[in-house]
Amino acid sequence: MTARTEPQLDLIDVFKALANPVRLQVLSWLREPERHFPVAEGIADPHEAGVCVSHIQAKTGLAQSTVSSYMASLERAGLVRSTRIGKWTHYRRDEERIAAFVALLGRAL
């Protein structure tokens, strides 16, 4: 068995995060938060701070702990960033990291 190089490791982490259909769907929803979440009910700009985890939880219909786990997985893979506002955590896509992943994927395959 050969050791993986760092870019391969990054690709694998992203693939693992995206392997779950709900995580993939949430990442897609976060591309256009104003279209998929009740932005008027938010306390922050969804493009700047992100979407509150409670709104993501409500849309998925999953337990808050499950959604938090899913979002942590996406964050570890570098696909989203979190911002804490008061007692709430907001998530937004990390477009630079997503673009870097797409470019890396193009070079790796």
Side-chain angles (χ1 to χ4, degrees):
M1 180 183 246
T2 60
R4 295 186 296 192
T5 63
E6 191 62 35
Q8 288 173 323
L9 181 62
D10 289 345
L11 284 176
I12 290 169
D13 291 342
V14 173
F15 285 136
K16 284 179 183 177
L18 296 177
N20 179 289
V22 175
R23 289 191 296 251
L24 184 60
Q25 182 63 65
V26 169
L27 191 63
S28 176
W29 289 335
L30 290 175
R31 184 177 214 160
E32 298 178 278
E34 66 283 343
R35 181 174 169 205
H36 298 285
F37 297 99
V39 175
E41 295 175 21
I43 59 172
D45 180 342
H47 291 285
E48 190 174 312
V51 174
C52 182
V53 72
S54 65
H55 293 306
I56 298 169
Q57 185 267 325
K59 187 160 179 82
T60 62
L62 298 172
Q64 187 274 332
S65 59
T66 301
V67 172
S68 291
S69 173
Y70 283 179
M71 298 312 296
S73 177
L74 290 170
E75 188 168 29
R76 279 190 305 275
L79 299 170
V80 299
R81 291 183 179 201
S82 65
T83 302
R84 191 91 171 151
I85 300 175
K87 65 178 183 172
W88 306 107
T89 302
H90 291 67
Y91 290 94
R92 64 182 169 86
R93 289 167 51 109
D94 187 333
E95 296 297 345
E96 288 180 25
R97 288 286 308 250
I98 292 171
F101 163 70
V102 170
L104 179 60
L105 181 62
R107 289 189 307 272
L109 295 180

